[in-house]
Amino acid sequence: MQNTDIRKRIKAIRRWNGIFRIVGLLSTFVGLVLLFALMADLFTDGFPRLSYKFFASFPSRFPEEAGILSAWVGSCLVLLVTACAAIPLGVAAGVYLEEYARKNWLTDLIEINIANLAGVPSIVYGLLALGLFVYFFRFGESVLTGGLTLALLILPMVIMATREAIRAIPNSIREASYAVGATKWQTVKWHIIPYSTGGILTGIIIGLSRAIGETAPIITVGALTFIAFLPEPPISSDFPFISFKWLLDPFTVMPIQMFNWVSRPQKGFQLNAAAAGIVLMGMTLLMNGIAIYIRYKFRKKIKW
Amino acid sequence: MKKNIFSKRYLKETFIEGGLLMAALFSVFITISIVIILAYESYGFFKAVPLKDFLTGTQWTPLFAEPRFGILPLVAGTLLTTLIALIVALPLGMLVAVYLSEYAPHKLREIIKPVLELLAAVPTVVYGYFALSFLTPILQKFLPDLSGFNALSPGIIMGIMIIPYVSSVSEDAMIAVPMHIREGSYAMGATKLQTAFKVVIPSAFSGIAAAFIIGISRAIGETMVVSIAAGGMPNLTINPLEAVQTLTAYIVQVSLGDVPHGTVEYKTIFAAGMTLFLMTLGFNLLGFWLRKRIREVY
Amino acid sequence: MNTTILTELKAEAKDLNFLYGQVHALKDINLPIERRKVTALIGPSGCGKTTFLRCFNRMHDLYPHNRYKGEIILYPDNVNIISPEIDPIEVRMQISMVFQKPNPFPKTIYENVAYGLRVRGTKKKQVIDERVEKSLRGAALWDEVKDRLHNLAFDLSGGQQQRLCIARALATDPRILLFDEPTSALDPIATSKIEELIIELKNEVTIIIVTHNMQQAARISDYTAFMYIGEIVEYDRTEKIFTAPSSKLTEDYITGRFG
């Protein structure tokens, strides 16, 4: 090949390289632009509806009167149940798989199973919950059912986050602990869990932020879309001061309230839907922000 | 110093290990419960409806006076919206992954990755609202035939929603390709583009395939976007401009209504769920196997 | 000519064999460990010296598919510490280990040293305070850290971290202290400090050290065992090994002809 030919060829490849650099950057921004458009759309439609009254009112037949009180209270209570169920179970399973499990068929089975569960559509969890919690255990269409359903849904995420955080701990730390005579549980309790807390917390919060936005499985278990009362308060003035009756109360959650409004034709309800969307996005972004902050904070604190 | 397996310490350790094992096994019980419940209710359904009618019927009208139980329209709706989503997500996700792993400066990558992941964190009901009230009206300006409910708009939104699933797994696979393999290519005078497409992508093939499969599985199972923006009419069509109903949207539609527990209509959602579960199960297992293979290669 | 006079033994390996799965890593090892002396294990990489060292505190029990055969007897108790009937955790409580790279926990200096006591369930603050000070003094680190006991251990230099790991191992009064190439990750000054420390420590505790540095073995040990491909080729007083080895293989190794 002639020298000039080579130069020509190099020039052409260079050009393609440069073009791709721009195409790549643009593709990366497609998603971001959409995210921005989505927020802008929500804000222009819904922002005027955001007021104290919107947060403090029950749903109503009149769009201007309607609010999200029962929805955000419901979301908080459901999330509480989800956290209480998914965190201990998920962390324990993650610790088992990383620190205790031997390499055998049972471990393989559990691993394949978790990978599959992570990919099961959320609505299938809803069907499971409908059969299991609503009709088999007879929890009814309650806060408890909703919370447990979402707990099953985010369990694989919590397990995987726990495992990943634990895997980052170097083996030398484990050996140092065993070398002075610590048992497995002492090593887990004093080293493994404390040093992986950052990663685990990040995973839990991201899981919970996903749970708060989930709609489909909650619809399947029969959460109501029109609830004009609050569940029983968990704290009462009479003995024994703590009540668990709210667990069995019917409920609604933020995304369901939004879905309900979206599916109504009147313009007023569409605006309410956008306003509920802003609140929902706010909750999700806040939780994701906290997760990113925690990850950053812990990464700075512990460097192996 | 003799080991005493009945000592307090050993009992405690064994007890704790047993408890943790139970927690790990719990996930297996979840899968078993899913299979049992879907199978049990579907069994009731198939006692009333022959499997042949279910698989080959072209009409799905379980709530009509004269019900028909052909699953094909729902499967077609699911596949159509999934296909549209993939047409958007796979090329974009790949480009993003190549750009982030091979081109982007480290700083930019650290900022963009978490922001991209927000795309997967946005509640799907919000995406549904966005597809219905923002994207569909815009698309109607270019495509006057587009009906208010259609497969195209939710398909596109779903595609963008699953970009981070596709891009982050592909990117992980590309970053895992050892530097010396790239250097071999650079040393021959190749550009980044040539290295990326001729060396890095083929080396990371299993991981990229796994990423695609995760994306497919997500799109098939996605519910709210299609429930809100694709319509509620089972429709055996390949025309993206028409309204369709997916398996997931059908389950939502029935759940919102007052179908009594135990009737055939009630059991249809489990038959639809079973179909959905089997479709995603296949993809999930394939994805798991592919990812496991990458881990073994490096 | 065997010049070892078995005055007082702390431990003894008898026909010790060790297998990683199918790999026969140690073959018929016989070795006495003298009380309050430093015994060095030398040999080319992969000869099994670290594997052998890790048998003494049952570290191999942490991983699957490892098998011991034969005995390591601990005196004066006369128990075989690698027997499956013996609790590895109790063995480790009495035979501590310092690793190749300093591996302090990401906790405070104080908590690092106190860890072994906490593992044993010691709760009294006063007792722990005393032991922490004593061990840090023992590890020649007290003067450098006494004002910042509650700082993170990661803030210390590499050499200080390694001395902290020694203090951590000393806190529980071990009967034998195992060192696995403790200076391989350190600079020469930090290395010489650790070497001085080891010489001092032998007044109180029996020491076994693995090293790939022959000068180090010559400087600090009383006895030296030369290992090659999973076997002990020669064991003797250190001066003897380095001046008049009886085996040709040992001589080739210490004169640098291979390794």
Side-chain angles (χ1 to χ4, degrees):
Chain A
M1 221 199 287
Q2 291 281 307
N3 230 348
T4 49
D5 284 351
I6 294 184
R7 289 231 178 89
K8 238 193 209 156
R9 175 128 180 79
I10 289 176
K11 219 174 150 192
I13 322 176
R14 275 254 168 82
R15 188 173 331 118
W16 278 111
N17 194 40
I19 290 172
F20 183 82
R21 184 186 292 275
I22 294 163
V23 172
L25 191 63
L26 288 178
S27 325
T28 309
F29 278 96
V30 167
L32 306 185
V33 167
L34 180 109
L35 198 60
F36 181 78
L38 186 148
M39 307 260 245
D41 182 40
L42 280 182
F43 264 88
T44 49
D45 290 351
F47 192 72
R49 286 289 297 127
L50 285 181
S51 64
Y52 172 76
K53 212 178 126 212
F54 187 67
F55 286 92
S57 306
F58 287 111
S60 158
R61 276 180 297 128
F62 308 103
E64 318 76 56
E65 306 269 303
I68 54 169
L69 179 62
S70 47
W72 70 258
V73 171
S75 272
C76 292
L77 292 177
V78 166
L79 212 58
L80 184 68
V81 175
T82 303
C84 290
I87 296 172
L89 257 179
V91 173
V95 167
Y96 178 82
L97 289 172
E98 283 304 310
E99 296 295 310
Y100 286 83
R102 289 161 197 86
K103 191 99 201 77
N104 57 25
W105 64 270
L106 186 65
T107 309
D108 284 347
L109 176 73
I110 295 174
E111 288 194 346
I112 293 185
N113 177 59
I114 290 170
N116 177 50
L117 278 182
V120 169
S122 61
I123 196 152
V124 173
Y125 283 94
L127 294 175
L128 163 68
L130 181 63
L132 195 65
F133 299 139
V134 178
Y135 290 113
F136 188 75
F137 289 130
R138 307 215 162 274
F139 293 157
E141 294 155 358
S142 62
V143 173
L144 182 63
T145 299
L148 292 179
T149 308
L150 295 180
L152 297 188
L153 182 73
I154 67 166
L155 192 63
M157 294 179 74
V158 177
I159 295 176
M160 290 196 280
T162 304
R163 295 189 65 182
E164 215 164 285
I166 290 178
R167 232 177 278 151
I169 299 172
N171 215 18
S172 65
I173 291 290
R174 293 181 183 87
E175 293 200 336
S177 171
Y178 289 124
V180 290
T183 63
K184 202 151 212 166
W185 176 239
Q186 286 173 325
T187 305
V188 167
K189 181 173 64 171
W190 281 328
H191 302 289
I192 303 303
I193 291 178
Y195 306 156
S196 54
T197 305
I200 295 176
L201 267 183
T202 309
I204 287 171
I205 294 172
I206 289 180
L208 290 178
S209 91
R210 172 139 175 239
I212 209 171
E214 268 300 339
T215 325
I218 300 284
I219 291 179
T220 318
V221 297
L224 300 178
T225 48
F226 192 93
I227 291 229
F229 55 88
L230 289 181
E232 194 89 0
I235 299 163
S236 63
S237 53
D238 307 324
F239 189 78
F241 308 114
I242 296 176
S243 148
F244 287 104
K245 269 200 191 145
W246 56 273
L247 280 173
L248 293 174
D249 283 338
F251 70 105
T252 189
V253 291
M254 285 297 299
I256 291 204
Q257 186 61 67
M258 178 173 174
F259 175 60
N260 176 253
W261 283 331
V262 169
S263 36
R264 297 207 195 179
Q266 298 98 315
K267 184 69 186 158
F269 283 117
Q270 293 290 321
L271 300 186
N272 282 0
I278 297 175
V279 177
L280 200 51
M281 281 290 283
M283 289 170 155
T284 314
L285 292 183
L286 181 71
M287 290 173 98
N288 277 272
I290 293 173
I292 291 171
Y293 176 76
I294 290 177
R295 182 159 43 185
Y296 170 77
K297 192 86 191 176
F298 271 80
R299 210 194 278 167
K300 242 173 74 174
K301 210 172 105 191
I302 297 183
K303 273 210 182 85
W304 302 112
Chain B
M1 283 172 90
K2 279 249 165 83
K3 198 189 263 181
N4 175 6
I5 56 163
F6 296 109
S7 74
K8 213 177 128 201
R9 193 180 71 219
Y10 263 86
L11 287 177
K12 188 175 162 194
E13 290 285 318
T14 313
F15 184 74
I16 287 170
E17 179 166 352
L20 295 174
L21 173 63
M22 279 314 188
L25 281 177
F26 187 80
S27 65
V28 180
F29 297 136
I30 298 178
T31 306
I32 294 174
S33 316
I34 291 178
V35 171
I36 288 178
I37 282 173
L38 290 181
Y40 172 76
E41 299 283 4
S42 304
Y43 175 73
F45 172 81
F46 286 120
K47 271 205 297 203
V49 179
L51 185 63
K52 188 171 162 285
D53 291 2
F54 180 73
L55 290 179
T56 59
T58 55
Q59 279 189 323
W60 179 261
T61 53
L63 305 177
F64 285 14
E66 211 173 294
R68 296 281 178 83
F69 299 99
I71 196 76
L72 283 180
L74 295 185
V75 171
T78 300
L79 292 181
L80 180 62
T81 49
T82 300
L83 186 70
I84 296 167
L86 294 180
I87 290 173
V88 174
L90 298 192
L92 277 178
M94 265 304 272
L95 287 174
V96 170
V98 172
Y99 179 75
L100 288 183
S101 87
E102 307 296 315
Y103 283 82
H106 181 73
K107 271 251 168 77
L108 184 69
R109 201 171 86 213
E110 292 288 291
I111 297 168
I112 288 200
K113 274 195 84 168
V115 180
L116 263 184
E117 263 155 45
L118 280 184
L119 281 177
V122 174
T124 53
V125 62
V126 174
Y127 277 123
Y129 171 83
F130 185 67
L132 180 69
S133 77
F134 187 83
L135 189 60
T136 298
I138 289 184
L139 290 174
Q140 275 170 331
K141 287 191 184 131
F142 303 99
L143 302 162
D145 291 345
L146 191 69
S147 61
F149 291 121
N150 59 73
L152 184 61
S153 165
I156 293 173
I157 293 292
M158 260 162 51
I160 291 179
M161 190 180 102
I162 59 179
I163 286 177
Y165 290 101
V166 176
S167 70
S168 87
V169 178
S170 323
E171 193 209 329
D172 288 347
M174 288 185 209
I175 285 193
V177 175
M179 207 54 209
H180 63 83
I181 291 186
R182 286 190 187 84
E183 283 174 353
S185 164
Y186 291 136
M188 307 286 290
T191 60
K192 280 195 172 180
L193 183 66
Q194 290 169 318
T195 307
F197 280 88
K198 297 199 168 122
V199 177
V200 178
I201 290 178
S203 311
F205 179 75
S206 320
I208 294 168
F212 284 10
I213 283 162
I214 293 171
I216 295 173
S217 181
R218 280 279 147 208
I220 290 178
E222 174 44 42
T223 309
M224 294 320 292
V225 181
V226 283
S227 292
I228 292 171
M233 281 298 293
N235 184 357
L236 187 58
T237 179
I238 51 163
N239 183 355
L241 306 181
E242 287 178 30
V244 296
Q245 188 169 43
T246 63
L247 288 160
T248 51
Y250 171 71
I251 298 173
V252 165
Q253 187 191 28
V254 173
S255 303
L256 284 170
D258 283 325
V259 173
H261 177 53
T263 57
V264 176
E265 290 78 16
Y266 170 82
K267 285 172 183 157
T268 54
I269 60 175
F270 289 92
M274 187 65 153
T275 313
L276 191 62
F277 180 73
L278 291 178
M279 282 166 87
T280 51
L281 178 70
F283 285 115
N284 291 341
L285 293 183
L286 192 59
F288 176 79
W289 178 75
L290 283 169
R291 261 177 299 164
K292 198 162 169 138
R293 238 184 55 169
I294 328 167
R295 238 177 276 157
E296 279 157 14
V297 173
Y298 299 115
Chain C
M1 183 176 79
N2 192 344
T3 52
T4 42
I5 304 154
L6 306 180
T7 45
E8 200 176 357
L9 279 185
K10 189 70 205 169
E12 189 175 16
K14 291 182 177 171
D15 297 324
L16 174 69
N17 280 271
F18 181 78
L19 295 101
Y20 286 116
Q22 296 300 311
V23 183
H24 199 163
L26 297 177
K27 294 165 205 153
D28 299 322
I29 302 265
N30 284 288
L31 188 76
I33 303 293
E34 302 280 337
R35 181 168 179 263
R36 295 196 175 166
K37 296 278 188 261
V38 176
T39 304
L41 305 175
I42 62 168
S45 10
C47 70
K49 47 194 195 303
T50 296
T51 306
F52 181 33
L53 189 77
R54 288 164 69 96
C55 291
F56 279 88
N57 69 342
R58 301 277 296 267
M59 287 308 267
H60 297 300
D61 288 43
L62 297 175
Y63 308 99
H65 310 304
N66 292 337
R67 268 177 305 151
Y68 308 93
K69 281 183 201 157
E71 300 178 316
I72 295 180
I73 306 289
L74 185 68
Y75 299 110
D77 319 46
N78 243 326
V79 283
N80 172 16
I81 55 175
I82 57 168
S83 144
E85 289 171 11
I86 297 296
D87 185 348
I89 287 169
E90 278 198 55
V91 173
R92 292 182 206 133
M93 283 186 175
Q94 305 193 26
I95 302 181
S96 266
M97 183 160 184
V98 174
F99 295 83
Q100 224 176 55
K101 273 200 206 137
N103 54 356
F105 303 126
K107 295 177 183 276
T108 62
I109 294 169
Y110 181 92
E111 278 304 322
N112 263 282
V113 183
Y115 181 65
L117 303 166
R118 301 215 188 275
V119 161
R120 284 160 183 71
T122 312
K123 293 237 164 63
K124 278 201 185 127
K125 179 149 191 326
Q126 199 197 341
V127 177
I128 298 179
D129 282 350
E130 276 168 23
R131 301 295 316 211
V132 167
E133 176 170 350
K134 184 163 172 257
S135 320
L136 283 170
R137 281 188 194 284
L141 192 60
W142 175 252
D143 291 330
E144 290 159 65
V145 301
K146 65 180 175 211
D147 301 324
R148 44 173 176 152
L149 288 175
H150 297 285
N151 285 16
L152 275 185
F154 284 4
D155 299 341
L156 299 175
S157 72
Q160 287 173 323
Q161 287 188 8
Q162 193 62 304
R163 277 180 282 146
L164 180 66
C165 293
I166 296 175
R168 179 172 69 195
L170 284 176
T172 49
D173 266 336
R175 298 161 68 175
I176 302 180
L177 199 47
L178 310 172
F179 286 89
D180 183 6
E181 301 190 20
T183 60
S184 61
L186 303 180
D187 63 68
I189 295 172
T191 299
S192 75
K193 275 194 182 157
I194 302 262
E195 288 183 2
E196 278 167 33
L197 181 59
I198 291 175
I199 295 170
E200 251 171 62
L201 282 174
K202 74 174 178 186
N203 296 321
E204 313 208 349
V205 61
T206 305
I207 289 170
I208 310 176
I209 178 168
V210 163
T211 176
H212 60 240
N213 177 335
M214 278 171 286
Q215 284 75 32
Q216 185 171 64
R219 283 194 295 267
I220 65 176
S221 70
D222 304 292
Y223 295 90
T224 297
F226 170 61
M227 291 181 70
Y228 188 65
I229 324 181
E231 286 178 82
I232 301 242
V233 176
E234 190 171 356
Y235 166 78
D236 216 318
R237 287 199 332 273
T238 299
E239 319 87 84
K240 175 84 181 5
I241 291 264
F242 282 95
T243 52
S246 39
S247 146
K248 177 81 173 53
L249 206 55
T250 316
E251 191 181 334
D252 285 351
Y253 181 70
I254 60 175
T255 53
R257 243 165 265 170
F258 72 97

